[in-house]
Amino acid sequence: MDPSQVQIPPMKDLTVDNITENVITINSLCEDERMKYVLERLVTHLHDFARETRLSSTEWMTGLQFLTEVGQICTPVRQEFILLSDILGLSILVDSIDHPKPPGSTEGTVLGPFHTHDAEELPNGDAISHDPKGEPLLVVCTLRDTEGRPIEGAKIDIWETDSTGHYDVQYAGRETPDGRCVMRSDAEGIFWFKAITPVPYPIPHDGPVGKLLKKLHRHPYRPSHMHFMFEKEGYDHLITALYLRNDPYETSDAVFGVKDSLVVDLAKVSPEMAAKYNVPEGQALLTYDFVLVSDEETRELRATNSKIALDKLGRKVKIVNGLPVPDLD
């Protein structure tokens, strides 16, 4: 930008006490109210963090080198920054703030680093896993709105590991997707498929995030689960997962993804279901009733929650495009 085209506010004599004020003033020319607010709070908290911890130059350089290593290990099928966000609890926090859920609706959880966009679209009843060593599992689900009406034609991404706890993208030479698919809910809001029973597994811990976990004396394991992502025009985007009850890592998930409402018990396929779905009687069965929230419901709840939370912090805000900005009136 041509310096002659902008009127930069003059900086004061910079000190530990006034550097934050100066940075915020310099950034205040931004015309995007939301961006200006987010950056103002980011700078404030970063500077307060440095002051409160009396951060040393050596420690800050260590932090920068760590973030550099996180970026360097990222690939199209391995997103170490998502992993870092996950193990710090930030991913689940942001999702909970941005996608609030009214009572009775399905809660969200972390996306994780292994979702892909190349999953094959399969018809109801097809198999998503071709792992011969996995325990066969029948999955039968419904999808409804908060009024109990079935939702037809929703796009549903589904993905899980194989029986060794590895996603398909973790194998060198992967040629086609496996353990994942895209399905559509039918006129009754039902979708069903054949899979394998999920198993616990460690998140990738051979990189900088794994080193951090080791330094913190934390394990890298996730409890047994299956991922689901729902998209349908007019409804809030839902990223969620179902977790098997009594898994050894149910209460110590490395990425903080488990919520009580998403913990499920497996049942056994009855003779009637065996005939209806053409699977063996007694096979493992997972059923769940998913409930999506409309875009309008989410916008209203997000705005209400934002006002309540920021009022408690003593910050006067107004809602613009569904997000809080300072109310200067």
Side-chain angles (χ1 to χ4, degrees), residues 20-58:
T20 307
E21 174 190 342
N22 275 273
V23 174
I24 290 172
T25 299
I26 289 292
N27 289 340
S28 66
L29 299 178
C30 178
E31 296 176 350
D32 184 323
E33 284 188 278
R34 175 64 180 174
M35 180 178 178
K36 181 164 61 176
Y37 175 56
V38 169
L39 206 56
E40 181 248 314
R41 300 315 303 158
L42 176 64
V43 168
T44 298
H45 289 294
L46 281 176
H47 286 206
D48 284 346
F49 164 74
R51 278 188 285 260
E52 289 170 12
T53 61
R54 311 313 295 173
L55 194 65
S56 71
S57 299
T58 300

Side-chain angles (χ1 to χ4, degrees), residues 146-168:
T146 52
E147 299 296 321
R149 296 170 296 215
I151 299 175
E152 180 181 4
K155 177 187 176 185
I156 308 156
D157 275 72
I158 304 159
W159 64 106
E160 67 167 337
T161 71
D162 63 15
S163 58
T164 69
H166 292 86
Y167 289 95
D168 55 352

Side-chain angles (χ1 to χ4, degrees), residues 122-128 130 183 192-195:
L122 299 178
N124 272 308
D126 220 331
I128 74 168
H130 300 91
M183 286 191 167
W192 67 280
F193 56 94
K194 299 165 186 174

Side-chain angles (χ1 to χ4, degrees), residues 101-164:
K101 306 300 179 189
S105 60
T106 303
E107 292 188 280
T109 187
V110 294
L111 175 68
F114 293 115
H115 173 259
T116 71
H117 296 281
D118 63 353
E120 181 182 4
E121 184 156 340
L122 299 178
N124 272 308
D126 220 331
I128 74 168
S129 174
H130 300 91
D131 179 1
K133 296 181 180 179
E135 179 190 357
L137 174 70
L138 174 65
V139 183
V140 181
C141 302
T142 64
L143 182 61
R144 301 185 182 278
D145 65 16
T146 52
E147 299 296 321
R149 296 170 296 215
I151 299 175
E152 180 181 4
K155 177 187 176 185
I156 308 156
D157 275 72
I158 304 159
W159 64 106
E160 67 167 337
T161 71
D162 63 15
S163 58
T164 69

Side-chain angles (χ1 to χ4, degrees), residues 147-305:
E147 299 296 321
R149 296 170 296 215
I151 299 175
E152 180 181 4
K155 177 187 176 185
I156 308 156
D157 275 72
I158 304 159
W159 64 106
E160 67 167 337
T161 71
D162 63 15
S163 58
T164 69
H166 292 86
Y167 289 95
D168 55 352
V169 294
Q170 292 179 279
Y171 289 103
R174 171 186 183 263
E175 295 181 355
T176 57
D178 194 34
R180 64 181 75 238
C181 75
V182 173
M183 286 191 167
R184 305 276 173 172
S185 52
D186 67 16
E188 296 179 340
I190 295 172
F191 64 98
W192 67 280
F193 56 94
K194 299 165 186 174
I196 61 173
T197 300
V199 298
Y201 65 87
I203 60 174
H205 55 287
D206 57 341
V209 169
K211 292 177 182 177
L212 176 60
L213 287 176
K214 187 174 181 179
K215 191 77 173 176
L216 297 172
H217 296 283
R218 286 176 54 185
H219 71 69
Y221 277 84
R222 298 217 62 206
S224 309
H225 64 279
M226 183 179 292
H227 293 273
F228 297 84
M229 182 166 67
F230 298 87
E231 295 179 71
K232 171 76 173 180
E233 186 175 355
Y235 292 91
D236 187 46
H237 188 229
L238 173 64
I239 298 168
T240 193
L242 298 179
Y243 299 86
L244 302 192
R245 194 180 310 280
N246 296 324
D247 185 278
Y249 305 107
E250 180 184 334
T251 59
S252 62
D253 182 7
V255 303
F256 306 98
V258 180
K259 297 179 179 178
D260 288 349
S261 67
L262 302 176
V263 177
V264 298
D265 294 294
L266 294 185
K268 297 291 183 182
V269 171
S270 66
E272 295 77 18
M273 292 193 78
K276 180 177 181 179
Y277 295 106
N278 192 29
V279 297
E281 180 183 344
Q283 182 178 294
L285 170 68
L286 188 160
T287 61
Y288 198 81
D289 299 319
F290 292 96
V291 178
L292 292 190
V293 184
S294 71
D295 282 336
E296 183 178 356
E297 287 177 287
T298 300
R299 279 193 300 269
E300 292 177 356
L301 188 54
R302 186 190 299 123
T304 298
N305 290 349

